[in-house]
Amino acid sequence: MVLNASLIDLPALEQDWQRRVRADRQLLFDIHHAVGGPFHVVYPEQFADNLRSFQKTLAGHGVRGQVYYGKKANKAGCWLPTIADLDGAVDVASEPELVHALAHGIRGRDIGVTGAAKTDGLLRLAARHDCVVAIDALDELDRVAEIARNAGPVRILLRTLPPNAPHSRFGLSATDLDTAIALCARLRPQVELIGFSFHLDGYAVAPRAELAFDLIRLCAKTKAQGLPLTTLSIGGGFACRYLGNDDWNTFVTHQRDEWFHAGKRFEKFYPYAQDPTGADMLDAILTTAFEGHTLAKHLRDNDIQLFIEPGRALLIDAGFTVFPVLGYKQNADYGITTVHGLSMSVSEQWKGSEFLPDPILVPRNPDSTAEPIATCVGGASCMEYDVLTWRKVPLPQRPGHGDMLLYPNTAGYQMDKNESEFHQLPLPPKVVITPQEDRFQWRLDK
C-alpha cells in the first residue's frame, strides 16, 4: 500500500488465467494488431466455474432450482453455449436478447423474461417458446392472456413490490397481487401461474431471506386456492469482490479530493470488497433461519423450487478490457494518460461513479530502472469529462504510445451498459480466450 496526499494503490484481485494472459505479452499486442483499437477479453471457462458454484450450492442444500444468467450484464455470445452445456438458464428483457439466447442453444423453457413492461412481440415470442414471464402489472397480465389465446399457454411469475421500496416502478402492490392471483385462477389453463418473484437493491442477505419466507407462506395460501405453485424467484444482486479488505477499507476511510484529477468528487462507489459474495451469499440466504428452520428447509418442505438471476456474480473474474496508450503528459505532480477509446467502454464512469481497481500497464518496452509515476486516464474524445480513471493511479513507469493499459475484471456491466460510437469510433470488440496446453488461442465473439 502506497498512501500519501496524492497516491493510493488499489490492486485488483486477479485469477491465475488473467495473470497468465498478461504474462504472454505478445498475445495482447497481437490482438491489438488485429483489431486496431481497444478490446475486451472474455474467458468462458471462468464463467462456467462461477455457474457451477451456484448450482452446487443449490444441490448441496437439496433445493430444486435454476440459475438464470442476467444477460443484460454482458452481451457476449460466448457465455450462452456454456450455459446450455451446464443446463443453466438465461434472463432476458428484450426480443433481441431472447432471439440471441435461442440462437446459441438455450431452450425456450430455460429462458426467463423480465422487465418493467414487455412489448407484444416479446410476449408472443416467450409464449411460442415456453419461456417463463415475470408479470409486473395488471394490464400486462391482460395482454399475456390475450396473446396466450393464439400463441399457446404461458407460464408466469407474479413479481411483487418490495416492502422496503414502496415507490419502485417494479412489481405488483399487495392489492394488485391479490387481484392478479384471482385473475390467474380464471385464466387457467392458458395462463399458468407457477410462483412469485422479487428483486431487491443492495447486497444484504437478511432482507432477501425474509421476503422469501413471506412468499413461501403466500405460495402455500395460493396452493390452497387450487393454484399449484411450484416456484419462487429471488432475483439477482449477488455481491462480488474486486479488492482486498485492507485496501478497500483504507480507501473508504482516508479518501480525499486530492486523490482525484481536478478534485473530482463522487457520491458513491460500488462496494468493491464485501462478504459474503457469489455462491457463498446464496448459501447464507439458504441457511438463514426462521421459526427454527432454514430457508432451504422451508423450500424443501413446501416443494418450492428456487430461481436466482445473477449477472455480475457469474461474470466476476471472467474478463478484462485493454486500451492502447496514445500519449502521456505531465500535469503538475501527476500525469495525464490518453488512451485509444472512450470512457463509455468502462461504464461505471457514466453513471456518476468510478471504476476503482487499478489499471495495469503492459509496456511494449519494460524498463526495470524507471521511476513509478501517478496518472489519471482520459479517453480520446474532445470532451473534458471523457475520463476513464479520475483517481491518480500508480504505474511502474511512464506510459508511452503503443503501450497497453489493462482494466481488470470488467466483464460485469463495465463492458456493456453505456458504450457509444461517439466520434464514429467502433465499439471495442470482445475477444474470446481459450486455453491450450501451453498457450492461449483467441477469436472474436459472435
Side-chain angles (χ1 to χ4, degrees), residues 36-54:
F39 56 92
H40 304 298
V41 171
V42 291
Y43 190 64
E45 282 75 8
Q46 182 64 52
F47 181 96
D49 288 345
N50 296 339
L51 175 55
R52 289 189 194 99
S53 68
F54 278 100

mmCIF file with all atom_site columns, all heavy atoms in Angstrom, residues 36-54:
data_model
loop_
_atom_site.group_PDB
_atom_site.id
_atom_site.type_symbol
_atom_site.label_atom_id
_atom_site.label_alt_id
_atom_site.label_comp_id
_atom_site.label_asym_id
_atom_site.label_entity_id
_atom_site.label_seq_id
_atom_site.pdbx_PDB_ins_code
_atom_site.Cartn_x
_atom_site.Cartn_y
_atom_site.Cartn_z
_atom_site.occupancy
_atom_site.B_iso_or_equiv
_atom_site.pdbx_formal_charge
_atom_site.auth_seq_id
_atom_site.auth_comp_id
_atom_site.auth_asym_id
_atom_site.auth_atom_id
_atom_site.pdbx_PDB_model_num
ATOM 1   N N   . GLY A 1 36 ? -7.030  -3.282  -34.021 1.00 0.00 ? 36 GLY A N   1
ATOM 2   C CA  . GLY A 1 36 ? -6.710  -1.897  -34.296 1.00 0.00 ? 36 GLY A CA  1
ATOM 3   C C   . GLY A 1 36 ? -7.107  -0.884  -33.250 1.00 0.00 ? 36 GLY A C   1
ATOM 4   O O   . GLY A 1 36 ? -6.876  0.316   -33.443 1.00 0.00 ? 36 GLY A O   1
ATOM 5   N N   . GLY A 1 37 ? -7.688  -1.299  -32.161 1.00 0.00 ? 37 GLY A N   1
ATOM 6   C CA  . GLY A 1 37 ? -8.113  -0.347  -31.136 1.00 0.00 ? 37 GLY A CA  1
ATOM 7   C C   . GLY A 1 37 ? -8.306  -1.052  -29.806 1.00 0.00 ? 37 GLY A C   1
ATOM 8   O O   . GLY A 1 37 ? -7.749  -2.132  -29.574 1.00 0.00 ? 37 GLY A O   1
ATOM 9   N N   . PRO A 1 38 ? -9.095  -0.466  -28.908 1.00 0.00 ? 38 PRO A N   1
ATOM 10  C CA  . PRO A 1 38 ? -9.355  -1.117  -27.627 1.00 0.00 ? 38 PRO A CA  1
ATOM 11  C C   . PRO A 1 38 ? -10.157 -2.402  -27.826 1.00 0.00 ? 38 PRO A C   1
ATOM 12  O O   . PRO A 1 38 ? -10.858 -2.558  -28.834 1.00 0.00 ? 38 PRO A O   1
ATOM 13  C CB  . PRO A 1 38 ? -10.151 -0.072  -26.851 1.00 0.00 ? 38 PRO A CB  1
ATOM 14  C CG  . PRO A 1 38 ? -10.795 0.767   -27.886 1.00 0.00 ? 38 PRO A CG  1
ATOM 15  C CD  . PRO A 1 38 ? -9.834  0.805   -29.033 1.00 0.00 ? 38 PRO A CD  1
ATOM 16  N N   . PHE A 1 39 ? -10.075 -3.299  -26.867 1.00 0.00 ? 39 PHE A N   1
ATOM 17  C CA  . PHE A 1 39 ? -10.811 -4.563  -26.966 1.00 0.00 ? 39 PHE A CA  1
ATOM 18  C C   . PHE A 1 39 ? -11.073 -5.128  -25.566 1.00 0.00 ? 39 PHE A C   1
ATOM 19  O O   . PHE A 1 39 ? -10.388 -4.788  -24.602 1.00 0.00 ? 39 PHE A O   1
ATOM 20  C CB  . PHE A 1 39 ? -10.060 -5.584  -27.824 1.00 0.00 ? 39 PHE A CB  1
ATOM 21  C CG  . PHE A 1 39 ? -8.653  -5.896  -27.378 1.00 0.00 ? 39 PHE A CG  1
ATOM 22  C CD1 . PHE A 1 39 ? -8.388  -6.947  -26.508 1.00 0.00 ? 39 PHE A CD1 1
ATOM 23  C CD2 . PHE A 1 39 ? -7.577  -5.135  -27.835 1.00 0.00 ? 39 PHE A CD2 1
ATOM 24  C CE1 . PHE A 1 39 ? -7.089  -7.238  -26.100 1.00 0.00 ? 39 PHE A CE1 1
ATOM 25  C CE2 . PHE A 1 39 ? -6.276  -5.412  -27.436 1.00 0.00 ? 39 PHE A CE2 1
ATOM 26  C CZ  . PHE A 1 39 ? -6.030  -6.464  -26.561 1.00 0.00 ? 39 PHE A CZ  1
ATOM 27  N N   . HIS A 1 40 ? -12.089 -5.979  -25.505 1.00 0.00 ? 40 HIS A N   1
ATOM 28  C CA  . HIS A 1 40 ? -12.428 -6.692  -24.282 1.00 0.00 ? 40 HIS A CA  1
ATOM 29  C C   . HIS A 1 40 ? -11.998 -8.145  -24.425 1.00 0.00 ? 40 HIS A C   1
ATOM 30  O O   . HIS A 1 40 ? -12.198 -8.759  -25.483 1.00 0.00 ? 40 HIS A O   1
ATOM 31  C CB  . HIS A 1 40 ? -13.932 -6.660  -24.026 1.00 0.00 ? 40 HIS A CB  1
ATOM 32  C CG  . HIS A 1 40 ? -14.535 -5.296  -23.968 1.00 0.00 ? 40 HIS A CG  1
ATOM 33  N ND1 . HIS A 1 40 ? -14.180 -4.367  -23.020 1.00 0.00 ? 40 HIS A ND1 1
ATOM 34  C CD2 . HIS A 1 40 ? -15.490 -4.697  -24.748 1.00 0.00 ? 40 HIS A CD2 1
ATOM 35  C CE1 . HIS A 1 40 ? -14.896 -3.263  -23.199 1.00 0.00 ? 40 HIS A CE1 1
ATOM 36  N NE2 . HIS A 1 40 ? -15.676 -3.428  -24.246 1.00 0.00 ? 40 HIS A NE2 1
ATOM 37  N N   . VAL A 1 41 ? -11.427 -8.695  -23.379 1.00 0.00 ? 41 VAL A N   1
ATOM 38  C CA  . VAL A 1 41 ? -11.057 -10.108 -23.338 1.00 0.00 ? 41 VAL A CA  1
ATOM 39  C C   . VAL A 1 41 ? -12.037 -10.830 -22.413 1.00 0.00 ? 41 VAL A C   1
ATOM 40  O O   . VAL A 1 41 ? -12.269 -10.396 -21.279 1.00 0.00 ? 41 VAL A O   1
ATOM 41  C CB  . VAL A 1 41 ? -9.613  -10.296 -22.827 1.00 0.00 ? 41 VAL A CB  1
ATOM 42  C CG1 . VAL A 1 41 ? -9.304  -11.773 -22.587 1.00 0.00 ? 41 VAL A CG1 1
ATOM 43  C CG2 . VAL A 1 41 ? -8.625  -9.709  -23.832 1.00 0.00 ? 41 VAL A CG2 1
ATOM 44  N N   . VAL A 1 42 ? -12.624 -11.924 -22.905 1.00 0.00 ? 42 VAL A N   1
ATOM 45  C CA  . VAL A 1 42 ? -13.587 -12.691 -22.104 1.00 0.00 ? 42 VAL A CA  1
ATOM 46  C C   . VAL A 1 42 ? -13.161 -14.150 -22.049 1.00 0.00 ? 42 VAL A C   1
ATOM 47  O O   . VAL A 1 42 ? -12.569 -14.682 -22.989 1.00 0.00 ? 42 VAL A O   1
ATOM 48  C CB  . VAL A 1 42 ? -15.017 -12.555 -22.660 1.00 0.00 ? 42 VAL A CB  1
ATOM 49  C CG1 . VAL A 1 42 ? -15.539 -11.145 -22.442 1.00 0.00 ? 42 VAL A CG1 1
ATOM 50  C CG2 . VAL A 1 42 ? -15.082 -12.909 -24.138 1.00 0.00 ? 42 VAL A CG2 1
ATOM 51  N N   . TYR A 1 43 ? -13.492 -14.796 -20.920 1.00 0.00 ? 43 TYR A N   1
ATOM 52  C CA  . TYR A 1 43 ? -12.972 -16.141 -20.631 1.00 0.00 ? 43 TYR A CA  1
ATOM 53  C C   . TYR A 1 43 ? -14.114 -17.034 -20.145 1.00 0.00 ? 43 TYR A C   1
ATOM 54  O O   . TYR A 1 43 ? -14.443 -17.049 -18.952 1.00 0.00 ? 43 TYR A O   1
ATOM 55  C CB  . TYR A 1 43 ? -11.879 -16.025 -19.568 1.00 0.00 ? 43 TYR A CB  1
ATOM 56  C CG  . TYR A 1 43 ? -11.081 -17.290 -19.318 1.00 0.00 ? 43 TYR A CG  1
ATOM 57  C CD1 . TYR A 1 43 ? -10.290 -17.846 -20.315 1.00 0.00 ? 43 TYR A CD1 1
ATOM 58  C CD2 . TYR A 1 43 ? -11.103 -17.911 -18.075 1.00 0.00 ? 43 TYR A CD2 1
ATOM 59  C CE1 . TYR A 1 43 ? -9.546  -18.978 -20.085 1.00 0.00 ? 43 TYR A CE1 1
ATOM 60  C CE2 . TYR A 1 43 ? -10.350 -19.046 -17.831 1.00 0.00 ? 43 TYR A CE2 1
ATOM 61  C CZ  . TYR A 1 43 ? -9.574  -19.584 -18.836 1.00 0.00 ? 43 TYR A CZ  1
ATOM 62  O OH  . TYR A 1 43 ? -8.827  -20.717 -18.604 1.00 0.00 ? 43 TYR A OH  1
ATOM 63  N N   . PRO A 1 44 ? -14.763 -17.784 -21.045 1.00 0.00 ? 44 PRO A N   1
ATOM 64  C CA  . PRO A 1 44 ? -15.928 -18.588 -20.672 1.00 0.00 ? 44 PRO A CA  1
ATOM 65  C C   . PRO A 1 44 ? -15.650 -19.642 -19.605 1.00 0.00 ? 44 PRO A C   1
ATOM 66  O O   . PRO A 1 44 ? -16.565 -20.030 -18.864 1.00 0.00 ? 44 PRO A O   1
ATOM 67  C CB  . PRO A 1 44 ? -16.343 -19.243 -21.995 1.00 0.00 ? 44 PRO A CB  1
ATOM 68  C CG  . PRO A 1 44 ? -15.811 -18.341 -23.055 1.00 0.00 ? 44 PRO A CG  1
ATOM 69  C CD  . PRO A 1 44 ? -14.520 -17.796 -22.500 1.00 0.00 ? 44 PRO A CD  1
ATOM 70  N N   . GLU A 1 45 ? -14.406 -20.126 -19.510 1.00 0.00 ? 45 GLU A N   1
ATOM 71  C CA  . GLU A 1 45 ? -14.108 -21.159 -18.514 1.00 0.00 ? 45 GLU A CA  1
ATOM 72  C C   . GLU A 1 45 ? -14.341 -20.643 -17.089 1.00 0.00 ? 45 GLU A C   1
ATOM 73  O O   . GLU A 1 45 ? -14.813 -21.373 -16.218 1.00 0.00 ? 45 GLU A O   1
ATOM 74  C CB  . GLU A 1 45 ? -12.664 -21.657 -18.675 1.00 0.00 ? 45 GLU A CB  1
ATOM 75  C CG  . GLU A 1 45 ? -12.466 -22.634 -19.825 1.00 0.00 ? 45 GLU A CG  1
ATOM 76  C CD  . GLU A 1 45 ? -12.483 -21.963 -21.189 1.00 0.00 ? 45 GLU A CD  1
ATOM 77  O OE1 . GLU A 1 45 ? -12.498 -20.715 -21.249 1.00 0.00 ? 45 GLU A OE1 1
ATOM 78  O OE2 . GLU A 1 45 ? -12.500 -22.691 -22.205 1.00 0.00 ? 45 GLU A OE2 1
ATOM 79  N N   . GLN A 1 46 ? -14.006 -19.374 -16.835 1.00 0.00 ? 46 GLN A N   1
ATOM 80  C CA  . GLN A 1 46 ? -14.259 -18.805 -15.517 1.00 0.00 ? 46 GLN A CA  1
ATOM 81  C C   . GLN A 1 46 ? -15.761 -18.637 -15.278 1.00 0.00 ? 46 GLN A C   1
ATOM 82  O O   . GLN A 1 46 ? -16.258 -18.897 -14.180 1.00 0.00 ? 46 GLN A O   1
ATOM 83  C CB  . GLN A 1 46 ? -13.566 -17.451 -15.379 1.00 0.00 ? 46 GLN A CB  1
ATOM 84  C CG  . GLN A 1 46 ? -13.740 -16.796 -14.021 1.00 0.00 ? 46 GLN A CG  1
ATOM 85  C CD  . GLN A 1 46 ? -13.098 -17.587 -12.905 1.00 0.00 ? 46 GLN A CD  1
ATOM 86  O OE1 . GLN A 1 46 ? -11.931 -17.945 -12.992 1.00 0.00 ? 46 GLN A OE1 1
ATOM 87  N NE2 . GLN A 1 46 ? -13.861 -17.879 -11.844 1.00 0.00 ? 46 GLN A NE2 1
ATOM 88  N N   . PHE A 1 47 ? -16.469 -18.211 -16.305 1.00 0.00 ? 47 PHE A N   1
ATOM 89  C CA  . PHE A 1 47 ? -17.924 -18.113 -16.210 1.00 0.00 ? 47 PHE A CA  1
ATOM 90  C C   . PHE A 1 47 ? -18.516 -19.475 -15.837 1.00 0.00 ? 47 PHE A C   1
ATOM 91  O O   . PHE A 1 47 ? -19.410 -19.562 -14.976 1.00 0.00 ? 47 PHE A O   1
ATOM 92  C CB  . PHE A 1 47 ? -18.488 -17.636 -17.542 1.00 0.00 ? 47 PHE A CB  1
ATOM 93  C CG  . PHE A 1 47 ? -19.981 -17.468 -17.574 1.00 0.00 ? 47 PHE A CG  1
ATOM 94  C CD1 . PHE A 1 47 ? -20.549 -16.228 -17.356 1.00 0.00 ? 47 PHE A CD1 1
ATOM 95  C CD2 . PHE A 1 47 ? -20.821 -18.541 -17.844 1.00 0.00 ? 47 PHE A CD2 1
ATOM 96  C CE1 . PHE A 1 47 ? -21.934 -16.060 -17.397 1.00 0.00 ? 47 PHE A CE1 1
ATOM 97  C CE2 . PHE A 1 47 ? -22.195 -18.383 -17.879 1.00 0.00 ? 47 PHE A CE2 1
ATOM 98  C CZ  . PHE A 1 47 ? -22.751 -17.146 -17.662 1.00 0.00 ? 47 PHE A CZ  1
ATOM 99  N N   . ALA A 1 48 ? -18.021 -20.547 -16.465 1.00 0.00 ? 48 ALA A N   1
ATOM 100 C CA  . ALA A 1 48 ? -18.518 -21.889 -16.163 1.00 0.00 ? 48 ALA A CA  1
ATOM 101 C C   . ALA A 1 48 ? -18.272 -22.255 -14.706 1.00 0.00 ? 48 ALA A C   1
ATOM 102 O O   . ALA A 1 48 ? -19.140 -22.831 -14.035 1.00 0.00 ? 48 ALA A O   1
ATOM 103 C CB  . ALA A 1 48 ? -17.859 -22.911 -17.091 1.00 0.00 ? 48 ALA A CB  1
ATOM 104 N N   . ASP A 1 49 ? -17.084 -21.921 -14.195 1.00 0.00 ? 49 ASP A N   1
ATOM 105 C CA  . ASP A 1 49 ? -16.787 -22.196 -12.781 1.00 0.00 ? 49 ASP A CA  1
ATOM 106 C C   . ASP A 1 49 ? -17.750 -21.453 -11.868 1.00 0.00 ? 49 ASP A C   1
ATOM 107 O O   . ASP A 1 49 ? -18.229 -21.999 -10.865 1.00 0.00 ? 49 ASP A O   1
ATOM 108 C CB  . ASP A 1 49 ? -15.347 -21.796 -12.456 1.00 0.00 ? 49 ASP A CB  1
ATOM 109 C CG  . ASP A 1 49 ? -14.314 -22.726 -13.063 1.00 0.00 ? 49 ASP A CG  1
ATOM 110 O OD1 . ASP A 1 49 ? -14.698 -23.838 -13.498 1.00 0.00 ? 49 ASP A OD1 1
ATOM 111 O OD2 . ASP A 1 49 ? -13.129 -22.345 -13.100 1.00 0.00 ? 49 ASP A OD2 1
ATOM 112 N N   . ASN A 1 50 ? -18.036 -20.199 -12.203 1.00 0.00 ? 50 ASN A N   1
ATOM 113 C CA  . ASN A 1 50 ? -18.951 -19.414 -11.380 1.00 0.00 ? 50 ASN A CA  1
ATOM 114 C C   . ASN A 1 50 ? -20.357 -20.007 -11.397 1.00 0.00 ? 50 ASN A C   1
ATOM 115 O O   . ASN A 1 50 ? -21.028 -20.075 -10.354 1.00 0.00 ? 50 ASN A O   1
ATOM 116 C CB  . ASN A 1 50 ? -18.986 -17.965 -11.878 1.00 0.00 ? 50 ASN A CB  1
ATOM 117 C CG  . ASN A 1 50 ? -17.653 -17.251 -11.730 1.00 0.00 ? 50 ASN A CG  1
ATOM 118 O OD1 . ASN A 1 50 ? -16.813 -17.643 -10.934 1.00 0.00 ? 50 ASN A OD1 1
ATOM 119 N ND2 . ASN A 1 50 ? -17.458 -16.199 -12.503 1.00 0.00 ? 50 ASN A ND2 1
ATOM 120 N N   . LEU A 1 51 ? -20.810 -20.428 -12.587 1.00 0.00 ? 51 LEU A N   1
ATOM 121 C CA  . LEU A 1 51 ? -22.145 -21.021 -12.700 1.00 0.00 ? 51 LEU A CA  1
ATOM 122 C C   . LEU A 1 51 ? -22.221 -22.323 -11.907 1.00 0.00 ? 51 LEU A C   1
ATOM 123 O O   . LEU A 1 51 ? -23.194 -22.568 -11.173 1.00 0.00 ? 51 LEU A O   1
ATOM 124 C CB  . LEU A 1 51 ? -22.477 -21.266 -14.173 1.00 0.00 ? 51 LEU A CB  1
ATOM 125 C CG  . LEU A 1 51 ? -23.784 -22.002 -14.482 1.00 0.00 ? 51 LEU A CG  1
ATOM 126 C CD1 . LEU A 1 51 ? -24.975 -21.302 -13.845 1.00 0.00 ? 51 LEU A CD1 1
ATOM 127 C CD2 . LEU A 1 51 ? -23.975 -22.135 -15.994 1.00 0.00 ? 51 LEU A CD2 1
ATOM 128 N N   . ARG A 1 52 ? -21.194 -23.151 -12.026 1.00 0.00 ? 52 ARG A N   1
ATOM 129 C CA  . ARG A 1 52 ? -21.192 -24.421 -11.280 1.00 0.00 ? 52 ARG A CA  1
ATOM 130 C C   . ARG A 1 52 ? -21.256 -24.182 -9.774  1.00 0.00 ? 52 ARG A C   1
ATOM 131 O O   . ARG A 1 52 ? -21.888 -24.948 -9.045  1.00 0.00 ? 52 ARG A O   1
ATOM 132 C CB  . ARG A 1 52 ? -19.938 -25.232 -11.618 1.00 0.00 ? 52 ARG A CB  1
ATOM 133 C CG  . ARG A 1 52 ? -19.907 -25.817 -13.022 1.00 0.00 ? 52 ARG A CG  1
ATOM 134 C CD  . ARG A 1 52 ? -18.734 -26.778 -13.170 1.00 0.00 ? 52 ARG A CD  1
ATOM 135 N NE  . ARG A 1 52 ? -18.480 -27.111 -14.568 1.00 0.00 ? 52 ARG A NE  1
ATOM 136 C CZ  . ARG A 1 52 ? -17.544 -26.547 -15.316 1.00 0.00 ? 52 ARG A CZ  1
ATOM 137 N NH1 . ARG A 1 52 ? -16.748 -25.614 -14.792 1.00 0.00 ? 52 ARG A NH1 1
ATOM 138 N NH2 . ARG A 1 52 ? -17.379 -26.910 -16.570 1.00 0.00 ? 52 ARG A NH2 1
ATOM 139 N N   . SER A 1 53 ? -20.611 -23.131 -9.297  1.00 0.00 ? 53 SER A N   1
ATOM 140 C CA  . SER A 1 53 ? -20.599 -22.878 -7.859  1.00 0.00 ? 53 SER A CA  1
ATOM 141 C C   . SER A 1 53 ? -22.005 -22.582 -7.343  1.00 0.00 ? 53 SER A C   1
ATOM 142 O O   . SER A 1 53 ? -22.385 -23.031 -6.255  1.00 0.00 ? 53 SER A O   1
ATOM 143 C CB  . SER A 1 53 ? -19.632 -21.740 -7.516  1.00 0.00 ? 53 SER A CB  1
ATOM 144 O OG  . SER A 1 53 ? -20.096 -20.500 -8.014  1.00 0.00 ? 53 SER A OG  1
ATOM 145 N N   . PHE A 1 54 ? -22.798 -21.840 -8.110  1.00 0.00 ? 54 PHE A N   1
ATOM 146 C CA  . PHE A 1 54 ? -24.184 -21.585 -7.711  1.00 0.00 ? 54 PHE A CA  1
ATOM 147 C C   . PHE A 1 54 ? -25.006 -22.871 -7.779  1.00 0.00 ? 54 PHE A C   1
ATOM 148 O O   . PHE A 1 54 ? -25.808 -23.163 -6.878  1.00 0.00 ? 54 PHE A O   1
ATOM 149 C CB  . PHE A 1 54 ? -24.808 -20.518 -8.615  1.00 0.00 ? 54 PHE A CB  1
ATOM 150 C CG  . PHE A 1 54 ? -24.478 -19.112 -8.226  1.00 0.00 ? 54 PHE A CG  1
ATOM 151 C CD1 . PHE A 1 54 ? -23.485 -18.405 -8.887  1.00 0.00 ? 54 PHE A CD1 1
ATOM 152 C CD2 . PHE A 1 54 ? -25.166 -18.483 -7.198  1.00 0.00 ? 54 PHE A CD2 1
ATOM 153 C CE1 . PHE A 1 54 ? -23.183 -17.095 -8.542  1.00 0.00 ? 54 PHE A CE1 1
ATOM 154 C CE2 . PHE A 1 54 ? -24.870 -17.175 -6.840  1.00 0.00 ? 54 PHE A CE2 1
ATOM 155 C CZ  . PHE A 1 54 ? -23.884 -16.481 -7.503  1.00 0.00 ? 54 PHE A CZ  1
#
